[in-house]
Amino acid sequence: MKLTHIQLRHYKSLADVQVSLHPNVTVVVGPNAVGKSNFVDALRFLRDAVKDDLDHAIVSRGGLNRVRQNSYSRPFNFGISIETLQSFDDCADQSAAYSVDIASTTGGNFRVEQEDATCFHQVTDQDDDHRYKTSLVSNGFIRNKAGEVVEKDVSPAKPFHVGDVDQMALGMPTGDFSFGSLGGELHSYIRNWKFSALYPITLRQLTTPDNDVSLREDGSNWASVIRAAKRSAKGKKNLERIYEMMQVVLPDFREVTVSTVGGYLVPKFHFGTSPTDSRAFDPVQLSDGTLRIFGILLSLYQSPAPTLMVVEEPEQTVHPGVLSMLAEAFKEVSEVTQVIVTTHSPQLIDHFGPDNVRVVTMNGGLTEIAPIKHSQQDAVKLGLMGLGEFMAAEGLQPALP
């Protein structure tokens, strides 16, 4: 699946924002305090609600009132809708979608006001002549605020109820248990979104072995991820690509090894001009930039590949000259994993086209997100100015509604 469109309703500073995404890399730009982080957190909220549960997603953010948009009159319901392009091996691509709205109830509680999912899965059947035929079967549903669920394209319809009104139906077993879970493909797709917000201080801390070999958002289990990657052919290939990328900016870089000392994982960065001329460094001996570059690459080239990768401000602590390599990595990975990047860097956006960029602004305390205005797009396409030049000189301006 590829995410094509997002609509956010009354989520923090986003009153009603619709964003169309690039199929490969979307670069989100804008000054501080306009809502870029709120946009990213809305995606993270949906991932958390699907992967863990809705209560965890709300409570971990400080409760309902810290999530929904402020109002002086009446409380808002808040909601998130996504549209995706669902691809199949033997059938035509299909549009899939999911929408959920959350409402407040008495005592600071909440309920799911509505859910609507449209998705498909591919099945292969054998006809009477023993020929195989591939077709698509709907796995969508509609759910109302009473918790009643009806599967789409199922006849006769057999309504059933979720356990509680504050539980999401997405991912729950179907009424007749015939096709697994409700919206199963969407559930699997969303729960495998990944986010990268790495800080060097975290990467310098010693850790104990971790069975979770999926890289955490803060990178705290990175040593376990490297150790696990060395045990598989795919993991080794990904590490080799990371090493190649690192060597673009640090020619003497060779590899990272992980050993166990006193129950802790101890990573070492090896530098040298040849295998016989190698020097090992602890993470505490390396610069913030080196650690962050490696952490971002490890996020991008992890296995299994995420369905969506969101990287926030990769330019932090990184020399501007390195950003061309990171841009290349974003583009390469986006052939498999769709990428969203937030940035303040003119040097980074210079490596992308106008179609990749979305501009975030704030008007009257509300966040707005739009493509670049047409005059700036045309100037870039004609080679009159670069995106980075516009950003540094007058700022990238959003297209008018």
Side-chain angles (χ1 to χ4, degrees):
M1 285 189 186
K2 288 289 183 81
L3 191 59
T4 58
H5 189 82
I6 304 167
Q7 182 181 14
L8 305 172
R9 300 175 295 278
H10 304 302
Y11 188 91
K12 296 187 177 180
S13 64
L14 301 112
D16 186 4
V17 172
Q18 300 194 45
V19 186
S20 295
L21 298 181
H22 192 278
N24 297 105
V25 183
T26 301
V27 184
V28 180
V29 304
N32 291 323
V34 294
K36 296 191 302 298
S37 295
N38 289 345
F39 169 69
V40 169
D41 189 61
L43 298 177
R44 188 187 285 109
F45 176 91
L46 181 58
R47 190 279 311 271
D48 291 349
V50 170
K51 185 178 180 181
D52 301 315
D53 58 54
L54 185 58
D55 184 63
H56 167 80
I58 291 176
V59 170
S60 65
R61 287 164 174 79
L64 192 65
N65 289 333
R66 291 181 178 267
V67 173
R68 61 184 176 181
Q69 179 192 352
N70 289 328
S71 170
Y72 294 107
S73 55
R74 59 180 178 79
F76 285 117
N77 296 347
F78 75 92
I80 302 173
S81 299
I82 65 169
E83 296 176 14
T84 74
L85 188 64
Q86 193 174 1
S87 299
F88 301 92
D89 294 333
D90 301 313
C91 298
D93 292 350
Q94 299 291 326
S95 295
Y98 176 72
S99 177
V100 61
D101 282 281
I102 314 298
S104 63
T105 59
T106 58
N109 296 314
F110 57 88
R111 70 165 180 255
V112 178
E113 191 77 357
Q114 69 85 25
E115 280 180 275
D116 192 325
T118 300
C119 63
F120 305 88
H121 68 273
Q122 187 172 288
V123 296
T124 301
D125 296 315
Q126 195 173 19
D127 62 19
D128 294 338
D129 296 325
H130 304 288
R131 292 176 298 189
Y132 288 97
K133 180 181 178 181
T134 300
S135 59
L136 296 179
V137 176
S138 171
N139 198 16
F141 66 91
I142 298 174
R143 174 255 183 84
N144 63 21
K145 64 182 179 182
E148 185 179 75
V149 179
V150 177
E151 294 179 73
K152 293 180 178 179
D153 300 324
V154 174
S155 182
K158 299 178 182 179
F160 64 100
H161 284 78
V162 298
D164 296 299
V165 294
D166 61 354
Q167 290 183 331
M168 292 168 61
L170 184 67
M172 295 185 68
T174 58
D176 58 10
F177 300 95
S178 58
F179 295 126
S181 60
L182 288 165
E185 290 73 18
L186 281 165
H187 181 264
S188 177
Y189 168 70
I190 296 170
R191 67 178 286 116
N192 285 300
W193 291 356
K194 299 289 185 181
F195 298 79
S196 177
L198 302 168
Y199 296 96
I201 191 172
T202 303
L203 302 183
R204 290 191 174 99
Q205 296 173 356
L206 289 179
T207 60
T208 55
D210 194 324
N211 291 329
D212 185 1
V213 296
S214 176
L215 188 67
R216 295 198 187 110
E217 184 171 337
D218 63 357
S220 57
N221 65 333
W222 70 285
S224 293
V225 171
I226 293 174
R227 192 170 68 161
K230 293 175 180 286
R231 297 173 183 158
S232 70
K234 178 64 174 176
K236 290 178 181 177
K237 183 177 179 181
N238 286 346
L239 284 177
E240 288 173 1
R241 186 57 181 147
I242 292 171
Y243 298 162
E244 290 173 357
M245 289 286 192
M246 290 290 292
Q247 288 162 4
V248 171
V249 294
L250 297 167
D252 288 347
F253 176 85
R254 299 200 63 80
E255 64 172 338
V256 176
T257 60
V258 179
S259 58
T260 304
V261 179
Y264 289 94
L265 297 181
V266 180
K268 295 279 188 179
F269 285 73
H270 295 263
F271 294 82
T273 56
S274 68
T276 57
D277 175 28
S278 180
R279 302 176 304 281
F281 294 87
D282 291 323
V284 295
Q285 297 174 289
L286 298 178
S287 69
D288 287 358
T290 299
L291 288 175
R292 197 149 194 277
I293 293 166
F294 184 84
I296 291 172
L297 292 174
L298 191 61
S299 299
L300 293 172
Y301 291 96
Q302 60 181 298
S303 181
T307 51
L308 174 71
M309 188 74 223
V310 183
V311 182
E312 296 187 74
E313 299 181 6
E315 69 272 14
Q316 287 187 17
T317 75
V318 172
H319 189 279
V322 176
L323 297 177
S324 61
M325 180 273 288
L326 287 179
E328 184 62 30
F330 294 144
K331 294 175 184 178
E332 182 175 275
V333 168
S334 71
E335 296 299 322
V336 176
T337 298
Q338 192 175 12
V339 177
I340 297 176
V341 180
T342 68
T343 184
H344 295 118
S345 171
Q347 291 86 359
L348 181 61
I349 66 166
D350 258 339
H351 297 283
F352 296 94
D355 293 343
N356 295 96
V357 179
R358 301 295 179 267
V359 181
V360 186
T361 55
M362 183 165 280
N363 185 9
L366 300 178
T367 296
E368 299 176 352
I369 305 177
I372 302 171
K373 71 177 184 179
H374 297 298
S375 60
Q376 289 186 336
Q377 288 193 44
D378 293 341
V380 172
K381 291 176 181 178
L382 291 171
L384 302 178
M385 287 185 72
L387 287 173
E389 291 177 299
F390 269 124
M391 188 174 182
E394 62 185 56
L396 293 172
Q397 302 298 316
L400 295 176

